[in-house]
Amino acid sequence: MSLSIEPVAPDFRDDLASDSKLLSRYVEACEKLTSHLPPRRERSVAQQEKAARAETAARGARHRFLDLHADHVHNELTDGRSRQVRLDELAFAGADRYPGLVPTRAEMAADQQLPQSEKSGGEVDQGIFFAHLLDRRDTGEHLLRSMLAPTARALDLLPEFRRTGHLDLGQVVIRRDGCVAEVTICNQHVLNAEDNGVVEALETAVDLALLDDAVSVGVLRGSVLSHPRYAGRRAFGAGINLTDLYTGKIGFVDFMLRRETGYIRKLVHGLNLGSGHRLLDLPGGKPWVGAVETFAIGGATQVALVLDRVIAASDAYFSLPALTEGIVPGAANMRLGRVVGRRMAQRLIFFGEQVAADSPQALALCDEVVAPEAVDAAVAAAADRLADPAVPSNRRMLHLAEESDDLFRTYMSRYALEQSARMHSPDVVAKLERTWVHRKRKA
């Protein structure tokens, strides 16, 4: 085939075996059209347009293939939904079984070595894959429930945590005091921002708190910062680590999807302990208290939305600068309007409005505002109140009424498409570039 002639789109016939071969050959042909082009940032306008046409054609074929076969693909990769398979394992198994459908492990490992502006865009193809799996009720529910299972790391560490009541997970520390497990984010050099490692450590810590029968209530807070401007002060979190996003270290699957379907959803619903009965799989979790000190920026405000009691220091503030970053702020678009109203949600997301904790508007984002020196006592009092045995049943019913599994699954299906595309859009890359240059000049 000539490299200048675009391949003919495959005519899928609803036969999985033959259609998967057609997809593989077509994607390979599309990739050959661009294999001779220079790296992304060095391409001419004409070369960029040629690459975009080839990528769009291949992605259109993936959509059509998954329209027909998403159920069968998922069933095959999970042995008829008998196995709980996590996101990364599912994506790489799909790559091995259906060449051309999603990037392979080796391809994604190579991408991780590149800055965001030079990546292949394979994460967009992962977004297509998960969007179709989540769009279908049976496959989507199985995928989401699989992500609520305890991680292998948490299960390995559970005996030690039960014995000592304390574990240092690197970027997160968990400590049990009585019936309360305090989970502290320790990423001080970037103002307790989240990255792939923080998301992994947070999920492990949340699992441990939920698995330990001695724990009735969890507390989430940020550690004391080392930054000169905030030295000696705690901060709840600065959102996504933009430096890591710029340098290509923030993963779509390992950060964006895992964060929402892993530790944040576990804060809401608890763990899927695999009882074998759908109604009994999710015991409803445990109540969580958040201590918002100094600031809750971006992802930190997203997390505050799902906590049962939020204590804010009077000198703290909340913000959700989604447009500054150019990406979708997780599930905040689904939850924020319900909490603060549509108009205020738009002011936060579209205009980057900051909400001071001691302002009337903050009453929709936190439950109690106290002097900075009184935060510890207020958190302890809230945890004591939430340790009441009647709380878990009531919080389970509250969550059922306001955020159904179908609502979350449908949102995440669209989120997979939107977020994977936003991460690789030219305007996001340009914004990251400007932020990077600004920080280098200040340094």
Side-chain angles (χ1 to χ4, degrees):
M1 180 182 295
S2 169
L3 291 178
S4 63
I5 301 176
E6 296 185 7
V8 177
D11 182 17
F12 296 130
R13 299 296 180 90
D14 203 11
D15 178 86
L16 181 59
S18 63
D19 286 353
S20 63
K21 292 177 182 177
L22 287 173
L23 175 70
S24 179
R25 287 198 293 266
Y26 182 70
V27 169
E28 183 179 2
C30 289
E31 290 174 347
K32 283 183 179 179
L33 289 174
T34 60
S35 61
H36 64 291
L37 296 180
R40 285 178 177 264
R41 298 192 72 170
E42 300 174 15
R43 293 173 185 172
S44 66
V45 172
Q47 289 171 334
Q48 292 174 21
E49 291 174 349
K50 181 176 183 178
R53 287 196 302 271
E55 289 172 350
T56 299
R59 286 167 184 159
R62 293 184 181 102
H63 275 294
R64 294 194 301 276
F65 176 83
L66 288 166
D67 277 337
L68 294 170
H69 301 299
D71 292 309
H72 301 294
V73 168
H74 181 266
N75 286 341
E76 182 170 349
L77 299 179
T78 61
D79 296 334
R81 299 202 294 273
S82 65
R83 293 191 304 117
Q84 295 180 333
V85 184
R86 289 185 65 83
L87 294 170
D88 56 346
E89 181 186 349
L90 194 63
F92 293 139
D96 292 339
R97 177 62 185 82
Y98 301 99
L101 181 59
V102 276
T104 65
R105 189 182 298 273
E107 288 169 337
M108 293 311 299
D111 247 16
Q112 275 190 322
Q113 308 305 312
L114 300 173
Q116 194 67 20
S117 60
E118 297 178 20
K119 287 190 174 185
S120 68
E123 289 172 322
V124 179
D125 303 320
Q126 291 179 325
I128 293 170
F129 177 69
F130 285 112
H132 281 271
L133 296 187
L134 289 163
D135 186 53
R136 289 157 172 77
R137 184 170 186 177
D138 288 344
T139 59
E141 283 190 357
H142 183 267
L143 174 56
L144 291 176
R145 287 174 180 270
S146 297
M147 286 302 295
L148 290 179
T151 61
R153 186 185 182 195
L155 292 172
D156 288 342
L157 293 173
L158 182 60
E160 182 181 352
F161 180 66
R162 282 176 168 161
R163 179 175 58 83
T164 65
H166 179 273
L167 281 175
D168 185 341
L169 303 173
Q171 291 167 294
V172 170
V173 171
I174 179 170
R175 177 178 62 87
R176 186 181 63 236
D177 184 4
C179 69
V180 177
E182 184 173 283
V183 175
T184 304
I185 301 171
C186 303
N187 210 19
Q188 296 94 333
H189 71 290
V190 287
L191 307 181
N192 291 334
E194 289 187 58
D195 51 34
N196 285 13
V198 170
V199 166
E200 193 276 336
L202 274 172
E203 185 169 9
T204 302
V206 170
D207 284 354
L208 291 169
L210 293 168
L211 288 165
D212 187 355
D213 293 335
V215 173
S216 300
V217 181
V219 170
L220 185 62
R221 71 190 313 174
S223 61
V224 175
L225 299 179
S226 56
H227 190 285
R229 183 176 176 184
Y230 305 103
R233 300 175 62 185
R234 289 181 181 267
F236 193 57
I240 190 171
N241 184 332
L242 291 176
T243 297
D244 274 12
L245 182 57
Y246 172 79
T247 56
K249 295 182 175 64
I250 294 291
F252 168 68
V253 170
D254 292 336
F255 184 96
M256 299 295 182
L257 279 188
R258 177 179 180 174
R259 182 175 181 273
E260 299 299 328
T261 62
Y263 92 83
I264 293 181
R265 196 156 187 260
K266 287 175 177 179
L267 291 172
V268 178
H269 293 293
L271 298 173
N272 174 5
L273 298 175
S275 69
H277 193 289
R278 183 175 179 275
L279 285 176
L280 300 178
D281 271 348
L282 304 179
K286 299 174 182 179
W288 287 85
V289 180
V292 174
E293 296 163 279
T294 308
F295 47 70
I297 300 172
T301 291
Q302 296 169 31
V303 173
L305 293 174
V306 307
L307 303 177
D308 300 283
R309 185 78 173 177
V310 176
I311 311 296
S314 57
D315 60 350
Y317 68 87
F318 299 83
S319 72
L320 201 63
L323 261 63
T324 301
E325 301 161 354
I327 57 178
V328 180
N333 303 62
M334 178 180 67
R335 298 177 176 128
L336 191 62
R338 182 178 70 228
V339 173
V340 305
R342 172 69 178 272
R343 291 296 177 187
M344 184 173 174
Q346 290 180 164
R347 293 200 302 272
L348 285 164
I349 295 173
F350 296 160
F351 293 92
E353 185 171 310
Q354 289 187 5
V355 180
D358 61 357
S359 68
Q361 294 89 341
L363 293 176
L365 292 169
C366 60
D367 301 285
E368 189 177 352
V369 180
V370 300
E373 63 271 15
V375 170
D376 287 352
V379 168
D384 183 64
R385 178 71 173 176
L386 290 174
D388 188 293
V391 167
S393 292
N394 280 284
R395 76 185 293 274
R396 179 161 55 244
M397 301 312 293
L398 283 168
H399 287 308
L400 178 65
E402 68 183 10
E403 187 177 303
S404 68
D405 287 347
D406 272 350
L407 173 63
F408 183 79
R409 177 184 55 77
T410 301
Y411 180 92
M412 290 307 298
S413 171
R414 189 69 200 189
Y415 173 81
L417 282 181
E418 299 283 356
Q419 190 71 298
S420 60
R422 291 306 305 153
M423 289 177 70
H424 295 273
S425 62
D427 66 292
V428 168
V429 171
K431 288 174 180 178
L432 291 171
E433 185 77 35
R434 287 195 296 270
T435 300
W436 177 262
V437 171
H438 177 69
R439 289 183 177 179
K440 293 290 283 185
R441 286 174 179 169
K442 286 183 67 176

